[in-house]
Amino acid sequence: MIDHDVLIIGGGLAGSRAALAVAQNYPHLSVGLISKVHPIRSHSVAAQGGIAASLQNVDNDDWLTHAFDTIKGSDYLADQNAVRVLTQSAPDVIIDLEHLGVLFSRADNGKIAQRAFGGHTNSRACYAADKTGHAILHELVMNLLRLGGKIYQEWYVMQLIYEEGNNGQEIKGFVAYSLETSEIELFRAKAVLMATGGYGRVFNTTSNDFASTGDGLCLTANIGLPLQDMEFVQFHPTGLYPAGVLISEAVRGEGAYLINDLGDRFMANYAISKNRMELSPRDITSRNIACEIAAGRGINGGNYVHLDVRHLGREKILSRIPFAREEGLRLAGVDCIDSPLPVRPTAHYSMGGIPTNIDCQVIGTDSKAIAGFFAAGECACLSVHGANRLGANSLLECVVFGKRAGEQLGAYVSDRAMPKLDPLAYIADAEAKLKGLLSQRGNARIADIRQQLQDTMTEHCGIYRDDRRLREGLAKLQVLRDRYERDLWVDDRGSVFNMEMMQAIELKSLLTVGEIIMSSALSREESRGAHSRDDYPQRDDAKYLKHTLGYLEMGAVKTSNRPVDMSLQTIDRDRFTPQERKY
Ligand SMILES: Cc1cc2nc3c(=O)[nH]c(=O)nc-3n(C[C@H](O)[C@H](O)[C@H](O)COP(=O)(O)OP(=O)(O)OC[C@H]3O[C@@H](n4cnc5c(N)ncnc54)[C@H](O)[C@@H]3O)c2cc1C
């Protein structure tokens, strides 16, 4: 059994920032960070465009305007006190990152440069060219190592330990296995932070990396805790066609045009986006692209439109968005200096996740904190993004709430004893599970079930949804789940870096998360933010201005809900009371 005061699952921006905060503020505590990939290969490293903060280096900005943009962008579903913390803390965390060594791009006057992003009133995205996540994550991990944080890389967490403690049910640690050797180990702590990122791999076209399989969400659902607002899946407007990898919003921030087969900048043709054009929020822009494609105005009648940057000129393209150019060259054979890039919407971000309060403590269906359990980053739902996240607000969330989680964890465990735990049964269970997977004699390949799951999710729970498609999709998922349980076949029977075995466990996460997304989508009979129902095209505040909770009960998904926090209304009733969303 391996003991730490604090254990953090996930080495992306949220997990690394949290671990660093523990190490900085509580040097006497031992903090362990575990990750199934090397921490700086976490998906955060791929973040490109920027991190939002009202620094006022370009525009006369302030945190309340940032909060307003975020809440309006969320279609009024965000919890307003959480948005207050996010936007008020933003300028400080950017300065803090700079002090940790992050090299942000500069304006001519030497200040941190800031660029425009969709749905933001002012230019407030700070960036390091179009490699912002890379610049930040490297410094966080280097600083963590410098301060003696212990990192367990290439370990896979397969079960949370949630059992009776001194004062009722509590999280006491988790079971993990080493990808290198398949050795199973029990990790025990006074508190655990979940920071496992998103689930983009549930869909067949995604900007997310291969590790974004929603494991933390599945681990949490498996112990009977709810996941919140899972119906809100962000489809980013500009995935490179056909690969799906991201062409950052920074490209539109720098002035790119979206063009259809007629050569029109079609954003002008939609009332909701004609003012902000290409810098409208993502849910709106993705829907417009989907409509153009459905109406046969995709390029050559096909499944994509054009993103054109030629008018920016070679020099600006090479200095501001070099990575986007590289991606176009590498994956589509298109040099955007001379030709437009083919793009279409791609599954990108999870607005939903593990519900937490503003101190990052995980909460149950009764809104009470779960002892010893915290969450931060994309796997958490605070909720600062509500029904639709604005670009550059996720890196910000990871850093603001990662830091806050670390500070809270340090304080929380300071007067807590190490929980009592009998490892034998857990280890035996995990061994049986891994052996079971390897000895199962079925006909279904992982890739086959995964492809069918991804196609089902994309077809039945994509940008547009309705009751019939969702119900049919759920029935298909049940069949896939049965096939997984009875008929899965894993070729590799070895114990050294058995990636197939890991993919088999990840596939279970994808199936569970997919079912909760679909069930939550079915339960919300309105259109709000990224959740667009053909059969309920209007937002319905009377019935649905509330968060959805989806949880497993006896193996089936159930849903309930909880209220939205509207506390900023007391500061500014005009701006923070729900109103029709126009841009
Ligand atoms: C291509 C791309 C570009 C983006 N650009 C921007 C941007 O410009 N601005 C912005 O604000 N946001 C952006 N985002 C969103 C943002 O990058 C992510 O939401 C954020 O980085 C998520 O960070 P995280 O720490 O929550 O998770 P991640 O960085 O995804 O890290 C998850 C960690 O959990 C670990 N893990 C998962 N499961 C297990 C398990 N079972 N056992 C052990 N470890 C596990 C992984 O190994 C990894 O270390 C972008 C996203 C993508 C995909």
Side-chain angles (χ1 to χ4, degrees):
M1 191 150 66
I2 295 176
D3 285 350
H4 284 281
D5 292 306
V6 174
L7 277 167
I8 288 168
I9 311 177
L13 232 58
S16 302
R17 187 64 194 87
L20 181 60
V22 178
Q24 284 172 319
N25 299 299
Y26 299 89
H28 61 286
L29 295 179
S30 81
V31 54
L33 184 150
I34 192 164
S35 172
K36 66 178 176 179
V37 300
H38 186 284
I40 51 178
R41 297 196 67 193
S42 304
H43 186 60
S44 293
V45 86
Q48 305 171 8
I51 173 165
S54 55
L55 281 181
Q56 307 179 337
N57 289 357
V58 177
D59 290 319
N60 189 12
D61 204 2
D62 63 289
W63 75 265
L64 259 179
T65 307
H66 187 184
F68 168 68
D69 292 342
T70 302
I71 287 166
K72 182 177 171 190
S74 83
D75 223 346
Y76 296 91
L77 195 73
D79 278 326
Q80 300 190 352
N81 58 350
V83 173
R84 178 182 57 74
V85 175
L86 180 83
T87 52
Q88 251 179 339
S89 323
D92 285 348
V93 299
I94 299 293
I95 305 298
D96 185 51
L97 286 177
E98 172 143 283
H99 290 171
L100 288 169
V102 178
L103 289 172
F104 286 108
S105 296
R106 299 282 153 177
D108 290 342
N109 62 7
K111 290 187 171 177
I112 293 175
Q114 297 190 279
R115 58 163 64 117
F117 248 71
H120 290 277
T121 306
N122 296 313
S123 292
R124 60 168 76 100
C126 311
Y127 56 92
D130 52 1
K131 300 176 181 174
T132 312
H134 187 275
I136 302 176
L137 189 59
H138 275 253
E139 291 310 329
L140 293 182
V141 174
M142 294 317 277
N143 276 286
L144 179 61
L145 289 172
R146 185 172 59 79
L147 294 184
K150 171 80 184 159
I151 295 178
Y152 301 88
Q153 69 205 30
E154 297 182 325
W155 279 81
Y156 190 99
V157 177
M158 52 190 292
Q159 193 194 340
L160 284 171
I161 298 177
Y162 184 49
E163 57 169 44
E164 211 50 42
N166 284 340
N167 300 301
Q169 294 270 103
E170 60 181 26
I171 294 286
K172 298 181 173 179
F174 49 79
V175 184
Y177 80 95
S178 152
L179 295 175
E180 186 183 349
T181 61
S182 294
E183 165 204 358
I184 292 168
E185 189 60 85
L186 205 127
F187 289 77
R188 179 172 68 161
K190 298 173 186 171
V192 171
L193 174 80
M194 192 65 91
T196 45
Y199 56 60
R201 292 278 149 192
V202 166
F203 292 88
N204 62 17
T205 304
T206 178
S207 66
N208 286 191
D209 73 355
F210 286 98
S212 298
T213 50
D215 299 348
L217 301 170
C218 178
L219 290 168
T220 304
N222 281 346
I223 56 170
L225 295 180
L227 302 181
Q228 180 170 291
D229 293 340
M230 292 293 283
E231 62 274 35
F232 299 107
V233 179
Q234 179 160 80
F235 293 87
H236 192 291
T238 58
L240 188 66
Y241 176 83
V245 303
L246 194 73
I247 298 298
S248 170
E249 189 166 319
V251 176
R252 280 170 290 136
E254 296 294 348
Y257 299 151
L258 281 168
I259 307 282
N260 63 14
D261 198 40
L262 308 174
D264 290 341
R265 281 178 73 191
F266 56 83
M267 294 295 282
N269 302 338
Y270 297 84
I272 193 165
S273 58
K274 66 175 192 289
N275 292 330
R276 295 270 180 105
M277 294 293 288
E278 283 83 359
L279 286 178
S280 298
R282 291 178 179 174
D283 53 341
I284 293 168
T285 311
S286 285
R287 276 196 288 275
N288 290 356
I289 295 175
C291 285
E292 292 296 307
I293 291 172
R297 293 190 293 272
I299 305 300
N300 300 325
N303 262 337
Y304 63 94
V305 295
H306 272 152
L307 183 70
D308 199 348
V309 291
R310 288 174 294 179
H311 57 285
L312 300 181
R314 182 184 184 88
E315 197 186 323
K316 194 165 177 189
I317 292 172
L318 292 182
S319 67
R320 301 284 182 84
I321 48 170
F323 189 61
R325 176 175 179 248
E326 256 171 69
E327 292 283 74
L329 275 171
R330 194 164 58 87
L331 295 162
V334 174
D335 186 346
C336 64
I337 294 175
D338 308 316
S339 313
L341 290 165
V343 294
R344 71 163 169 192
T346 184
H348 181 59
Y349 183 81
S350 162
M351 268 74 73
I354 306 164
T356 69
N357 61 26
I358 56 168
D359 292 329
C360 306
Q361 285 180 293
V362 175
I363 54 178
T365 37
D366 56 2
S367 297
K368 289 208 184 99
I370 306 296
F373 198 23
F374 292 68
E378 189 169 338
C379 74
C381 183
L382 273 156
S383 128
V384 286
H385 310 300
N388 173 60
R389 168 174 79 86
L390 295 188
N393 265 356
S394 169
L395 293 184
L396 179 64
E397 178 195 2
C398 288
V399 179
V400 167
F401 288 97
K403 180 165 183 276
R404 193 175 171 96
E407 290 160 2
Q408 295 293 330
L409 278 159
Y412 182 85
V413 302
S414 287
D415 55 359
R416 234 173 121 79
M418 194 57 93
K420 292 206 169 43
L421 190 57
D422 177 6
L424 293 179
Y426 287 106
I427 302 262
D429 243 31
E431 271 169 5
K433 188 170 170 197
L434 296 189
K435 274 210 189 96
L437 268 177
L438 296 188
S439 56
Q440 201 162 315
R441 305 213 148 263
N443 292 309
R445 301 289 162 147
I446 295 169
D448 174 33
I449 298 186
R450 189 172 52 210
Q451 188 65 50
Q452 288 192 40
L453 161 75
Q454 292 170 335
D455 291 345
T456 304
M457 290 301 296
T458 308
E459 207 176 299
H460 293 267
C461 196
I463 296 181
Y464 287 102
R465 299 146 179 201
D466 63 40
D467 187 272
R468 182 186 55 81
R469 269 182 291 179
L470 288 167
R471 284 183 199 280
E472 284 173 8
L474 274 169
K476 287 187 186 175
L477 291 189
Q478 306 278 349
V479 173
L480 290 174
R481 202 166 56 157
D482 282 357
R483 274 188 72 200
Y484 178 96
E485 298 300 343
R486 290 208 208 110
D487 203 20
L488 193 72
W489 170 259
V490 178
D491 273 309
D492 187 347
R493 307 268 147 154
S495 58
V496 176
F497 280 117
N498 186 339
M499 297 326 251
E500 227 194 323
M501 183 164 78
M502 180 184 77
Q503 287 173 19
I505 308 175
E506 287 178 339
L507 179 55
K508 190 66 200 291
S509 301
L510 293 174
L511 284 163
T512 305
V513 170
E515 203 175 331
I516 298 179
I517 295 173
M518 259 211 218
S519 305
S520 305
L522 185 64
S523 77
R524 186 175 285 274
E525 297 183 334
E526 66 158 355
S527 290
R528 182 188 296 272
H531 176 65
S532 224
R533 293 271 307 240
D534 287 335
D535 43 355
Y536 298 96
Q538 303 303 326
R539 195 175 83 193
D540 182 351
D541 285 340
K543 272 169 95 177
Y544 290 105
L545 186 59
K546 54 194 176 193
H547 299 294
T548 310
L549 298 175
Y551 51 93
L552 296 177
E553 207 174 84
M554 316 273 276
V557 181
K558 297 272 161 52
T559 56
S560 64
N561 52 65
R562 64 185 204 90
V564 176
D565 172 275
M566 305 295 287
S567 53
L568 279 178
Q569 279 183 341
T570 55
I571 299 188
D572 186 340
R573 178 157 289 280
D574 282 354
R575 288 206 282 182
F576 293 106
T577 301
Q579 46 201 278
E580 193 194 340
R581 199 162 148 244
K582 288 194 213 137
Y583 286 93

